[in-house]
Amino acid sequence: MADLRIGIDVGGTNTDAVVLDVDGRVIAKAKRPTTPEVTEGLRAALDAVLAELGSGREHVTRVMLGTTHATNAILERRGLGRVAVVRLGAPATTAVPPLSDWPDDLRKAVSAGEAIVPGGHYVDGREISPLDLDAVRRFLDGVRADAVAVTSVFSPADDGHERRVEELVRAEYGLPVSVSSEIGSLGLLERENATVLNAALYGVAAHVTDALVTALAERGLGERGQREQGARGQGAQGARGRGARPYLAQNDGTLMTLEHAARLPVSTIGSGPANSLRGAAYLSGVADAVVVDVGGTSTDLGVLAGGFPRESAAAVEIGGVLTNFRMPDILAIALGGGTVVRPHGLGPDSVGYRIVREALVFGGATATMTDAAVAAGRIPPGAEDWRDRLQGGRQGDMSEEKADILESAVTRADRMVIDAVDRMTLGRTDRPLVAVGGGAFLLPDHIPGVSRVIRPEHAEVANAVGAAIALASGRVDTILPAGDSRAAAIESAKEEARARAVAAGADPAGVEIVDLLEVPLSYLSEPAVRVHVKAAGPLAR
């Protein structure tokens, strides 16, 4: 039972956990309600799968977590750090100041001050103006901040100015620095926004990583807990002081070490849907498919391309702020197992984790989509008695009126799903649909626009499986010359992507280039191409 992996995913309704053995088989799984302080739901799910393992817990070597901490912090304006915002782009970019499109409450919570100083580059690599480090010093001397966000014009093509400011801040001010060339792609304002959010999340990241490390240590899994057990003579694994290494899930369906997450916490936003897509690919054995993840409150649709989530080409809005870091192309609709059914409508509100008390099949008084699905004969495995409960629960025999309402809800829900699938397939009908999530039984067996519907085993915890099997990755998005030096420049970009994957926790021997995209830029005085490179590989042991 060597080398067990635990995957945990914190969702809006439930927190799921799974244990995979060395051959990738699911040997334990659990689903627990997500708590307002999401760490408690994490602990409950972790305890549940560890109880199934028993003494086998000493063979756990890795724990992977996909969490909503960062997303919640931005949406709720809670726990965010104060950021000194530095843009290197004067005099070219002064017409639109930093954070000018931010909601007022978020800007007040995050910004310690903003400045535009001389520096930055044109798209062809020429300087807009020489970098003025003294101006940076004067600005930072006048603010009190927890971190600094540095954005330079066209830094994906030339990050030299950003790196010089980063060195200055670390050496003279001792503050953590978020640099835009590591976070976003082309598009100054959106990349700047993502960089500032990243800097604001440093404290949140520290809280998450400390909570995860502490939870593992308390259960004898982390290195700290293993050393303590070893000191007390509690097991050979503890005597070795090895422990389980923790990782956090990223928004592209891959993993990163806690050290990497501490530098790039904004990358954890959107990890939940990405985990579901990766888990769906793994459980179904299908690399190209539409994935429909039905939860308690909403349904997320995405597309698998080569086993990885198809990425969105549009700017991503987070908490009212437009950003341009890479995110899965996800369509969310207000349909889930807990969605409330009414005589003339469906949702969008949901009973959420209260479904086990309020739904008709559990003796409650609220009609939900779970009740509607059961009435239509769509019953999850192991719940064959739900139809009898629905007929003979607290309400007694179901009235004809209520039966009609539930039947109408199923029709409405099916139309919502068919329309959403049509929007995601973009006219292709040759791909299968993989149904996952705790509410996957809501989906019909035949859906127009897909070749077939696949319901893999363990589909209800696909998101946690996706976290457990994920690779580590690195990416580069830059502008390169299109002439004779193009080939060498692309090879250099590949090496940089591989290096970033290794920094995120990948085994150097197993890193491969999984995505390479070239886009000619015809509007420049000198021929050039925009190159996006992604490298990924298995975790280092």
Side-chain angles (χ1 to χ4, degrees):
M1 197 185 285
D3 290 332
L4 301 181
R5 292 169 285 166
I6 296 179
I8 305 171
D9 189 271
V10 180
T13 301
N14 290 302
T15 295
D16 298 341
V18 298
V19 182
L20 271 60
D21 66 14
V22 69
D23 296 318
R25 294 172 299 196
V26 177
I27 61 173
K29 58 185 177 181
K31 188 180 288 286
R32 294 292 183 270
T34 295
T35 53
E37 170 48 60
V38 294
T39 304
E40 293 307 312
L42 181 158
R43 291 170 184 264
L46 180 60
D47 284 339
V49 292
L50 289 178
E52 284 193 52
L53 285 182
S55 60
R57 69 169 60 194
E58 69 181 32
H59 297 290
V60 175
T61 58
R62 297 184 180 93
V63 178
M64 296 80 159
L65 171 66
T67 177
T68 58
H69 277 83
T71 306
N72 291 347
I74 295 171
L75 295 178
E76 298 172 12
R77 287 38 168 164
R78 175 173 50 85
L80 300 172
R82 303 281 290 175
V83 181
V85 183
V86 179
R87 181 192 295 173
L88 311 178
T93 66
T94 55
V96 182
L99 314 189
S100 57
D101 60 344
W102 281 42
D104 289 340
D105 59 340
L106 183 58
R107 183 172 180 171
K108 290 176 182 177
V110 169
S111 178
E114 307 111 34
I116 306 176
V117 304
H121 294 81
Y122 292 106
V123 68
D124 59 5
R126 292 177 295 121
E127 284 189 349
I128 294 174
S129 59
L131 176 61
D132 189 343
L133 291 179
D134 286 335
V136 175
R137 290 187 180 95
R138 288 193 297 271
F139 167 64
L140 293 179
D141 287 342
V143 298
R144 298 183 61 182
D146 302 307
V148 179
V150 183
T151 305
S152 179
V153 181
F154 283 111
S155 63
D158 190 328
D159 65 352
H161 285 185
E162 285 187 352
R163 295 303 179 185
R164 287 168 62 188
V165 174
E166 179 185 22
E167 292 173 4
L168 180 151
V169 174
R170 293 187 186 281
E172 299 184 19
Y173 295 88
L175 292 173
V177 186
S178 177
V179 293
S180 75
S181 56
E182 292 184 346
I183 296 167
S185 57
L186 298 179
L188 174 65
L189 298 180
E190 292 84 358
R191 185 174 74 254
E192 181 176 63
N193 290 344
T195 305
V196 175
L197 289 177
N198 189 70
L201 289 168
Y202 284 144
V204 174
H207 171 73
V208 172
T209 55
D210 184 65
L212 179 57
V213 170
T214 300
L216 297 180
E218 290 172 347
R219 290 152 181 80
L221 295 178
E223 292 184 1
R224 186 196 319 165
Q226 295 285 2
R227 285 196 296 270
E228 291 172 355
Q229 286 192 13
R232 294 193 297 267
Q234 296 181 13
Q237 175 82 356
R240 289 197 303 270
R242 181 183 175 190
R245 189 168 189 188
Y247 296 86
L248 289 184
Q250 299 191 81
N251 50 32
D252 63 352
T254 61
L255 297 170
M256 56 184 170
T257 63
L258 297 192
E259 295 79 10
H260 198 68
R263 183 173 179 83
L264 298 174
V266 77
S267 296
T268 65
I269 292 173
S271 62
N275 286 341
S276 294
L277 267 68
R278 287 284 292 151
Y282 180 80
L283 292 172
S284 67
V286 177
D288 296 279
V290 178
V291 176
V292 181
D293 180 11
V294 188
T297 302
S298 65
T299 293
D300 293 333
L301 293 91
V303 175
L304 284 168
F308 284 89
R310 183 177 73 190
E311 294 183 336
S312 173
V316 177
E317 183 176 304
I318 303 170
V321 175
L322 283 179
T323 67
N324 68 350
F325 58 88
R326 310 292 286 195
M327 290 278 282
D329 184 10
I330 298 295
L331 173 62
I333 59 176
L335 175 68
T339 300
V340 177
V341 171
R342 297 184 176 86
H344 303 290
L346 182 62
D349 53 324
S350 168
V351 296
Y353 64 85
R354 302 189 309 276
I355 190 170
V356 294
R357 300 194 306 269
E358 298 188 15
L360 300 180
V361 294
F362 296 111
T366 304
T368 67
M369 265 310 303
T370 293
D371 304 308
V374 170
R378 302 175 189 176
I379 303 172
E384 288 73 16
D385 62 330
W386 284 12
R387 181 190 288 270
D388 295 334
R389 290 193 202 173
L390 187 63
Q391 295 290 343
R394 184 195 304 174
Q395 306 299 317
D397 290 339
M398 184 183 299
S399 66
E400 183 176 345
E401 179 184 7
K402 181 162 288 188
D404 289 343
I405 291 172
L406 295 181
E407 182 180 354
S408 176
V410 171
T411 302
R412 288 194 185 97
D414 286 354
R415 284 202 300 263
M416 291 173 65
V417 171
I418 292 169
D419 177 65
V421 168
D422 183 59
R423 292 168 63 183
M424 295 302 290
T425 56
L426 304 177
R428 286 188 56 179
T429 60
D430 58 331
R431 286 178 289 206
L433 181 148
V434 183
V436 297
F441 65 93
L442 271 62
L443 301 177
D445 289 330
H446 302 284
I447 298 177
V450 297
S451 60
R452 58 195 171 110
V453 175
I454 301 173
R455 302 179 188 271
E457 187 180 8
H458 309 301
E460 74 278 10
V461 289
N463 46 7
V465 171
I469 57 95
L471 307 174
S473 73
R475 64 172 74 239
V476 171
D477 196 329
T478 188
I479 297 174
L480 300 174
D484 295 338
S485 60
R486 167 184 161 278
I490 289 178
E491 286 303 316
S492 178
K494 288 180 178 178
E495 288 304 314
E496 176 63 21
R498 291 188 184 99
R500 293 187 180 186
V502 172
D507 182 350
V511 174
E512 298 179 355
I513 301 299
V514 298
D515 189 21
L516 175 61
L517 176 66
E518 292 184 62
V519 180
L521 302 178
S522 58
Y523 50 83
L524 302 181
S525 57
E526 297 293 334
V529 293
R530 178 179 177 181
V531 175
H532 172 75
V533 186
K534 179 177 177 180
L539 296 173
R541 292 187 177 275

